[in-house]
Amino acid sequence: MLHYLQHIGKCVLLCLLLCPAVSHAQSFYFTGGFKDSTGTLIPFVNIKLRSNQLLYQAGSGGEFGISAFVSTDTATCYAEGFDTTQIVLMHGKYQQVVLRYNATMLQKAKLESRLSSLSMAPQQKQHVTEIATGNGESYNEIVPNHFTNTSAFPSVGFVPNNNHASYSNIRRFIAHSTQVPPNAVRIEELWNYFNLQLPQAQPGDSSMGMASALSVCPWNANHLLLMLNVVAPKIPVENLPPANMVFLIDNSGSMEENNRLPLLKNGFKKLVEHLRPQDRVAIVTYGGSPGIMLPPISGQYKDSIRAAIDALIAGGATAGSNGIQLAYELATTNALDSGVNKVILATDGDFNMGITEDEALERLIKAYRHTGVTLSCLGVGMGNYKDSKIEVLAKMGNGNFAYLDTEEEAQKVMVQELTENLYHVAADASIHVYFDSSVMQQYKLVGYDNRKQALANNTLLLNGANIGSGQTIVAMLEIVPKGNASIQTPLQGSWELQYKCLLRDSVQIAHNVPFTAVPMALPLADTAFKKATTLAWYGQLLRQATPQQPVSFTDVMTLAAQCFAAENKSDAGFLQLLQQTQQVYNPAPIQQRWRKKRKTK
C-alpha cells in the first residue's frame, strides 16, 4: 500500500508540474544556442532541467529561452545524430553549446528508409503528403515503386514494416460496401496480418530465420517474383521481462460511438486479464485536457484497472499532444531498467487541440526517443479517422500500428499477438538485396512504397525497424529477366539482414545469405509463397481501381482458393473478404442479381 501511495504522490506531482495553469513568481531566465562543430545552428534540441525535470526545446534557429525558479541549473541536452551533453545554465549568461556528432545516432538520423536503386537527381526526394478522402479521413500519399535497371543499381535496401493496420481497415471499407481509398492500401501490411512463414525459415535461439523462394509472376507471365522471408525467434513465456505500460486513451467527444471508445474499453480489459504481478499499468486520458485516470499500479490489481477503464466516458476536445507528453513523462518516471517501457495510444487520430501538425508531432515523439520508451498506436473509428497521423506517431515512436474494426480484431491484437507487439527481439533491422545483373534487366520492390525517400546516393544508411518476438517479415521483388535469358534461367544474388540482437545485449549482427534459384511454376510453390502472391495481387488491384474503371478480382479469387484454407478462421475471413470485394468493385448487373434472387426463392 505504501508503494502504491508513493506512486500516487509522484503522479500528482507530475500533473502539477505539467499543468500550464499553475503559475509562480519567476525571477530567473536562461538563454543560449546550439551549434555543431562546423558552427552550423542545430534546431529543435531537447533540453531537460534537473531542478524540475521538465522538457523544453530550442527553436528552429537553434536558440532557447527558459524561465526558471533558480539562478543556476544543470540541463541535459540531446538531439538525434549528436552526443547527449550536460551543461550548467546561469541566469543572465548566454550559453553557447557545441554538440558533437555521434556516429551510431547519426546513422538513425540519416533516413527512415531509402531505395538506393532509384535513379533520381541528387538530393531530390519523393515527398509524402496527406490525402483527404472526402469523408473526413486522411492517409499519407503512396508513391509507387518503379522498375529499376539492375546494371545501374545492382542492390536495393529497405526497412521492414511490422504493422498490419491496413488489412483490417480495408476490411472495414468493404464491410460497408465502400471502395477502399488507394492510399489506404499498404501491401506489406497485408502480408503481416497472416504471419507468413516459408518452411525453411527456421529461427535459432537468438538469430533470425531467413529463406527465399522464386516463382513466375501471375499478373505478368514474363516476369518473376522473389519472396524474402524473415522469422524472428519467440521468447518463452517464462522468460518475458516485466512491462511498464501507460494506456493513453482518447476519450474526447469524437470517441463516443460504439466502434471507438466502447470497442477500446473491451479490448483493454481483455489485455488486463493477461497482466502479471511484475507488470505495471497506468491510464492517461485526454478528453478536453490530459489527466491521470489511474496512477501506475501492479498487474495483480486487475479489478482496479478494469474499474478505471469502465469509468471512461467520452467528451471534450482532443488534446492529443498534451496527452502524449503526460503519458511519456509518466512512463519515464516509472521506467523499468530491465523491462519493457511502452505507451499504447488508442485514438481515431482526430487531434484538434494543442499540437496538431504532423511535423510538430514528429518532433514531440523524437524528443522522447532517448528514454527507451516506445509508442504503439491503436486506430479506431470511421468518418474522421486520421490514418496519416497515427501512422506517423507509431513510426516515430518505434512501435506498432494496428486498426481495430471488430471485437475479434481487438482480441487478436491485444491478446493473441500481445507478445510479438510488446516484446522486441531485434532493433534497427534493415534488409539489403544484391543481384547478378548478367541475367536480370530490371526489378521492382512490391509494397513498401510509403516508407521510402529515394536518393541517387546509394551510400546512405538506414534507420531500421524493431521486430517482435515470433514476428515474420515478408518482402517481394518483381523481376524482369534479360532479353537473352528465359524465365527458367537461374537467378543469382544474395540478401542481407542487419539488426541489433536484443537477446544478446544488442550485439550488431549481419546475416548474408546467397541464393541461386530456378523459378518454379506457381502451383508448385509453397503455400506461404502463394498466399503472399495472392495478397500482393489483391492489394495492387485495390490500388489500380477507380469508380470510373472497375476491376475484377476473379483471378485473385482463383489463386486464393489454392492456398487459403476455409477451415482456418483467418484464411476463411480473407476468402469472404475477396467475395465481398468482388461485389463492391465489379457487381453483377441488376437483372442478373434479380434472377439469382428468384432462384433462391
Side-chain angles (χ1 to χ4, degrees), residues 147-410:
F147 280 102
T148 301
N149 291 327
T150 313
S151 57
F153 297 96
S155 68
V156 60
F158 58 96
V159 173
N161 174 2
N162 55 14
N163 301 325
H164 54 64
S166 184
Y167 181 87
S168 48
N169 192 29
I170 289 170
R171 182 174 60 198
R172 183 256 299 186
F173 276 103
I174 298 301
H176 288 83
S177 300
T178 304
Q179 292 198 3
V180 183
N183 290 292
V185 182
R186 296 184 287 270
I187 292 172
E188 65 274 16
E189 296 186 15
L190 309 189
W191 296 325
N192 294 343
Y193 192 87
F194 290 91
N195 214 35
L196 302 175
Q197 180 175 344
L198 291 170
Q200 61 269 41
Q202 297 297 327
D205 292 337
S206 60
S207 61
M208 300 288 182
M210 297 172 62
S212 60
L214 187 68
S215 183
V216 178
C217 177
W219 55 83
N220 191 327
N222 296 319
H223 291 184
L224 303 174
L225 279 181
L226 174 66
M227 175 180 171
L228 306 176
N229 190 201
V230 175
V231 179
K234 194 172 184 65
I235 305 174
V237 175
E238 61 272 15
N239 295 339
L240 292 174
N244 165 43
M245 292 178 284
V246 177
F247 299 163
L248 176 56
I249 303 176
D250 180 356
N251 67 330
S252 61
S254 65
M255 296 289 291
E256 189 173 11
E257 297 180 26
N258 287 334
N259 62 350
R260 301 186 189 192
L261 185 58
L263 176 61
L264 287 171
K265 289 167 67 172
N266 289 336
F268 275 113
K269 285 193 290 185
K270 291 176 181 177
L271 187 158
V272 168
E273 291 300 316
H274 297 269
L275 294 176
R276 304 161 299 173
Q278 61 266 41
D279 297 327
R280 206 153 55 200
V281 167
I283 300 176
V284 172
T285 61
Y286 59 92
S289 60
I292 298 176
M293 189 73 178
L294 180 72
I297 187 174
S298 166
Q300 66 180 316
Y301 299 112
K302 292 181 173 56
D303 289 341
S304 299
I305 302 173
R306 282 192 294 260
I309 294 172
D310 282 331
L312 293 173
I313 57 174
T318 314
S321 61
N322 296 334
I324 290 172
Q325 286 178 296
L326 179 55
Y328 263 108
E329 291 296 333
L330 196 57
T332 54
T333 301
N334 297 276
L336 299 171
D337 292 334
S338 58
V340 172
N341 300 289
K342 181 178 284 291
V343 174
I344 302 177
L345 169 61
T347 179
D348 59 9
D350 187 21
F351 294 3
N352 53 31
M353 186 177 171
I355 299 173
T356 60
E357 298 298 325
D358 287 359
E359 289 185 5
L361 286 168
E362 286 185 36
R363 291 198 298 270
L364 174 63
I365 301 302
K366 282 184 177 180
Y368 290 98
R369 274 190 176 182
H370 79 291
T371 65
V373 176
T374 59
L375 173 69
S376 288
C377 297
L378 302 174
V380 293
M382 57 189 297
N384 64 341
Y385 170 60
K386 308 299 182 185
D387 182 278
S388 58
K389 200 174 298 294
I390 304 174
E391 183 189 16
V392 166
L393 294 175
K395 181 167 57 178
M396 302 312 299
N398 287 330
N400 306 92
F401 173 31
Y403 177 82
L404 308 182
D405 60 331
T406 63
E407 293 280 354
E408 291 76 15
E409 187 65 16

Side-chain angles (χ1 to χ4, degrees), residues 315-550:
T318 314
S321 61
N322 296 334
I324 290 172
Q325 286 178 296
L326 179 55
Y328 263 108
E329 291 296 333
L330 196 57
T332 54
T333 301
N334 297 276
L336 299 171
D337 292 334
S338 58
V340 172
N341 300 289
K342 181 178 284 291
V343 174
I344 302 177
L345 169 61
T347 179
D348 59 9
D350 187 21
F351 294 3
N352 53 31
M353 186 177 171
I355 299 173
T356 60
E357 298 298 325
D358 287 359
E359 289 185 5
L361 286 168
E362 286 185 36
R363 291 198 298 270
L364 174 63
I365 301 302
K366 282 184 177 180
Y368 290 98
R369 274 190 176 182
H370 79 291
T371 65
V373 176
T374 59
L375 173 69
S376 288
C377 297
L378 302 174
V380 293
M382 57 189 297
N384 64 341
Y385 170 60
K386 308 299 182 185
D387 182 278
S388 58
K389 200 174 298 294
I390 304 174
E391 183 189 16
V392 166
L393 294 175
K395 181 167 57 178
M396 302 312 299
N398 287 330
N400 306 92
F401 173 31
Y403 177 82
L404 308 182
D405 60 331
T406 63
E407 293 280 354
E408 291 76 15
E409 187 65 16
Q411 170 78 19
K412 179 177 185 288
V413 172
M414 304 176 80
V415 177
Q416 297 171 12
E417 298 173 350
L418 178 63
T419 300
E420 64 186 65
N421 290 331
L422 195 58
Y423 303 99
H424 296 151
V425 297
D428 296 338
S430 60
I431 295 174
H432 306 257
V433 190
Y434 307 92
F435 295 111
D436 179 0
S437 59
S438 65
V439 295
M440 285 179 52
Q441 180 177 332
Q442 293 180 317
Y443 63 85
K444 179 179 73 172
L445 188 63
V446 180
Y448 292 97
D449 309 88
N450 200 30
R451 299 175 69 84
K452 71 170 194 269
Q453 290 182 344
L455 301 176
N457 183 358
N458 63 2
T459 64
L460 289 171
L461 301 174
L462 296 173
N463 177 20
N466 293 330
I467 301 178
S469 170
Q471 272 190 335
T472 65
I473 299 294
V474 170
M476 294 192 100
L477 294 104
E478 185 175 347
I479 296 169
V480 182
K482 275 200 169 177
N484 58 354
S486 71
I487 59 173
Q488 296 303 316
T489 303
L491 179 70
Q492 295 184 339
S494 67
W495 65 296
E496 184 175 78
L497 174 67
Q498 299 178 5
Y499 64 98
K500 289 180 181 177
C501 182
L502 302 181
L503 301 179
R504 289 165 52 185
D505 298 323
S506 296
V507 174
Q508 186 71 40
I509 294 177
H511 290 306
N512 190 287
V513 179
F515 57 79
T516 301
V518 176
M520 67 180 74
L522 189 56
L524 302 177
D526 181 79
T527 299
F529 186 101
K530 287 189 284 192
K531 283 186 174 182
T533 303
T534 302
L535 292 164
W537 199 357
Y538 174 68
Q540 290 179 111
L541 289 179
L542 288 176
R543 292 252 195 93
Q544 296 165 8
T546 64
Q548 297 77 26
Q549 198 170 23

Side-chain angles (χ1 to χ4, degrees), residues 67-123:
S67 298
F69 306 118
V70 294
S71 61
T72 303
D73 207 344
T74 302
T76 302
C77 310
Y78 53 93
E80 286 213 71
F82 298 90
D83 284 335
T84 298
T85 302
Q86 282 198 337
I87 60 174
V88 176
L89 298 173
M90 290 185 288
H91 171 69
K93 180 181 178 181
Y94 185 90
Q95 183 75 29
Q96 184 65 65
V97 186
V98 177
L99 297 184
R100 294 183 304 174
Y101 285 103
N102 180 291
T104 303
M105 292 187 68
L106 186 60
Q107 173 176 336
K108 298 186 72 175
K110 283 279 190 179
L111 279 178
E112 192 248 340
S113 179
R114 72 99 173 90
L115 288 172
S116 62
S117 56
L118 296 184
S119 55
M120 301 179 65
Q123 298 183 347

Side-chain angles (χ1 to χ4, degrees), residues 11-31:
C11 296
V12 171
L13 177 60
L14 186 60
C15 288
L16 292 174
L17 288 173
L18 292 176
C19 180
V22 177
S23 61
H24 297 276
Q26 297 177 339
S27 306
F28 306 104
Y29 199 63
F30 302 136
T31 59

